Amino acid sequence: MRLVRFVAEGQVRFGHLEGDTVVPVAGDSFVEALEGREKGAPLALSVVHLLAPVPRPGKILGIGVNYAAHAAESVSFISTAKPEVQKWFNKQATAVNGPYDPVHLPKVSGQLDYEGELVVVIGKHGRHVPRERALEIVAGFCIGCDYSVRDWQKASQTMIMGKGFDTHAPFGPALVTPDEIEDLPGLEVRSYVNGEQRQSGHVRDMIHDIAAQIAHLTAAFTLEPGDVIFTGTPAGVGAGFDPPKWLKAGDRVRIEIDGLGHIENEIVPEPETMRIG
């Protein structure tokens, strides 16, 4: 199953992506939509607008320096000591963004960076989940980009301020269930900026694989349906170049993963977003 969330004729719904067609499914929530009961006439993909498959995750968790080559290039903006210890941070629920929607270049920084990643979406409650059963609580996989504001990230030991800016967690285009994926470790993650390939790495290259991540997280707290995990990025981020290649307004960032499709976001100046109340 390839579960999508979309807008059509002003209404937000869930559906199954079948080629160039979206078949609506019953349910207003992510959990209900996972049951997959089709309801309604098929729609052409061209007439819908795809949103992030999970509207407001209870948790958005990201693991840092989870590819050895990326750890080596990251010494300028994060401590990479003891990479055998999992390093986790949070992205905020307000960072969620659609797979093809604009990403804001912050008013407060010119150091916006990209990190193409495989995203895991949790489908069942899990606490103290053993490694060998970890994938049982996975609903499926998406493509994501962990946009990072490097100077703000570097200024905070937890990295949280540089990781949680609004619009900086696009993922999708569909949640692809595990039965659709023949070779999870063999999936390749590729990132492009304005058509130039910047990143390439395979899921098997992770220092801590997905099962280890889930076992580690659930040793501390419960993972719940709809929680989202960004699983780490390969080498080739903008900060790893000399001089750094920061994103600028007008850039287009495309992330591809074998069998999952692609997402693509344009970088735009942050609009006037002051709000009180």
Side-chain angles (χ1 to χ4, degrees), residues 103 105 194 247-253 265-269:
V103 166
L105 180 66
N194 301 327
L247 295 170
K248 60 186 183 302
D251 285 346
R252 299 193 70 88
V253 180
N265 306 95
E266 182 181 1
I267 309 303
V268 301

Side-chain angles (χ1 to χ4, degrees), residues 156-274:
S156 172
Q157 288 185 337
T158 62
M159 300 190 291
I160 192 169
M161 292 303 292
K163 292 289 190 175
F165 277 60
D166 288 357
T167 76
H168 285 190
F171 64 99
L175 180 144
V176 180
T177 51
D179 60 294
E180 296 265 348
I181 299 174
E182 295 183 0
D183 180 17
L184 181 61
L187 296 183
E188 184 182 11
V189 181
R190 297 177 296 275
S191 299
Y192 301 83
V193 178
N194 301 327
E196 175 193 1
Q197 184 168 348
R198 296 280 184 86
Q199 294 184 282
S200 175
H202 291 84
V203 170
R204 62 172 172 263
D205 299 330
M206 291 180 182
I207 297 171
H208 307 286
D209 65 18
I210 293 166
Q213 293 177 41
I214 290 173
H216 182 75
L217 291 170
T218 61
F221 48 78
T222 302
L223 289 177
E224 302 171 302
D227 286 348
V228 170
I229 300 173
F230 281 73
T231 61
T233 197
V237 300
F241 291 89
D242 185 15
K245 295 184 177 182
W246 307 125
L247 295 170
K248 60 186 183 302
D251 285 346
R252 299 193 70 88
V253 180
R254 179 184 174 103
I255 315 297
E256 301 175 350
I257 299 181
D258 299 329
L260 303 186
H262 76 278
I263 67 173
E264 185 168 334
N265 306 95
E266 182 181 1
I267 309 303
V268 301
E270 181 185 341
E272 181 52 59
T273 51
M274 179 180 174

Side-chain angles (χ1 to χ4, degrees), residues 101-198:
D101 289 336
V103 166
H104 293 172
L105 180 66
K107 294 177 180 293
V108 295
S109 174
Q111 295 188 12
L112 180 62
D113 208 347
Y114 54 87
E115 296 189 7
E117 308 200 9
L118 176 70
V119 168
V120 171
V121 180
I122 300 299
K124 297 179 181 178
H125 289 83
R127 180 77 204 276
H128 292 295
V129 179
R131 179 191 176 106
E132 61 271 15
R133 298 191 63 184
L135 294 185
E136 292 181 28
I137 71 168
V138 172
F141 305 92
C142 300
I143 304 167
C145 192
D146 171 22
Y147 285 94
S148 305
V149 184
R150 295 301 187 193
D151 48 350
W152 282 60
Q153 175 186 350
K154 187 175 181 180
S156 172
Q157 288 185 337
T158 62
M159 300 190 291
I160 192 169
M161 292 303 292
K163 292 289 190 175
F165 277 60
D166 288 357
T167 76
H168 285 190
F171 64 99
L175 180 144
V176 180
T177 51
D179 60 294
E180 296 265 348
I181 299 174
E182 295 183 0
D183 180 17
L184 181 61
L187 296 183
E188 184 182 11
V189 181
R190 297 177 296 275
S191 299
Y192 301 83
V193 178
N194 301 327
E196 175 193 1
Q197 184 168 348
R198 296 280 184 86

